[in-house]
Amino acid sequence: HGKCDEEDCPHRVKFVDDEIIELADALHGNTVLTALSMVSNNITDESVKAIAEALRDNEALMDLNLYDSMVSDDGAVALAEAFAENEVFNSLNLEHNNIGDEGAQVLLDLLKSNESAFETLHLKHNRVSPALLEEIEAEMDRQMRPPPDLVQQYYDEQRDEL
């Protein structure tokens, strides 16, 4: 929200592994929560896999933000596998993580195989090669994905209507 320093902000909650796994358990069969942001957490592969498993049967969550949360290739692969089975999910932010070409390639393969998988995928500032990032952007352009700000505007309008 920009009103206080990040370190002192009372609105910022850092999750530990057990809490993330507990949250993932609660997401199974979710029909209410449409967006989840867990920015700047040290999320282990075990936590990401628990979140991914919960998203397999999730009917409402459309937007997951794991910006700067230490997600690795294993986490990206687990998320991609879950999204292959989830028709609702459409926006994933994995910028500023520890994802390399292996994880990015699996996400790209998902984009290529399932045109309804994502509307937005953010992978910048990882260990992904520039060529692979360009290929991901080209695939999203090919599928005519809307720019991220239009997606955010849509979510804001939907929330205002509730």
Side-chain angles (χ1 to χ4, degrees):
H1 57 78
K3 296 180 182 175
C4 52
D5 291 332
E6 240 181 67
E7 296 170 2
D8 301 328
C9 182
H11 304 288
R12 183 179 196 95
V13 177
K14 291 262 188 184
F15 295 101
V16 295
D17 228 19
D18 291 341
E19 293 169 327
I20 294 170
I21 292 169
E22 188 176 323
L23 174 64
D25 288 342
L27 286 174
H28 282 280
N30 167 52
T31 59
V32 178
L33 185 68
T34 60
L36 178 61
S37 180
M38 294 192 300
V39 173
S40 297
N41 281 280
N42 187 7
I43 297 178
T44 66
D45 288 334
E46 182 181 359
S47 294
V48 176
K49 288 176 184 177
I51 292 167
E53 186 61 35
L55 293 177
R56 288 179 190 270
D57 63 355
N58 185 296
E59 298 177 9
L61 192 73
M62 297 184 297
D63 182 3
L64 179 61
N65 185 354
L66 296 175
Y67 178 98
D68 189 31
S69 291
M70 305 300 290
V71 177
S72 71
D73 282 329
D74 288 343
V77 169
L79 289 168
E81 290 171 354
F83 298 148
E85 299 176 23
N86 185 314
E87 297 176 8
V88 176
F89 192 84
N90 61 22
S91 181
L92 177 63
N93 187 345
L94 290 173
E95 288 186 349
H96 289 272
N97 279 286
N98 291 323
I99 299 168
D101 284 354
E102 178 187 350
Q105 185 64 55
V106 172
L107 289 165
L108 174 60
D109 293 344
L110 178 62
L111 281 171
K112 287 181 175 180
S113 69
N114 181 359
E115 291 194 12
S116 65
F118 296 115
E119 288 181 3
T120 57
L121 172 61
H122 302 279
L123 274 178
K124 292 182 181 172
H125 306 289
N126 278 283
R127 296 178 294 110
V128 180
S129 67
L132 190 51
L133 280 176
E134 285 179 23
E135 191 174 348
I136 290 168
E137 288 179 22
E139 180 63 22
M140 290 180 68
D141 288 344
R142 186 191 71 75
Q143 295 182 19
M144 297 176 50
R145 305 293 187 196
D149 54 340
L150 293 179
V151 172
Q152 187 61 51
Q153 179 182 353
Y154 170 77
Y155 288 140
D156 292 344
E157 289 170 1
Q158 294 301 311
R159 288 185 193 123
D160 291 343
E161 289 180 15
L162 296 175

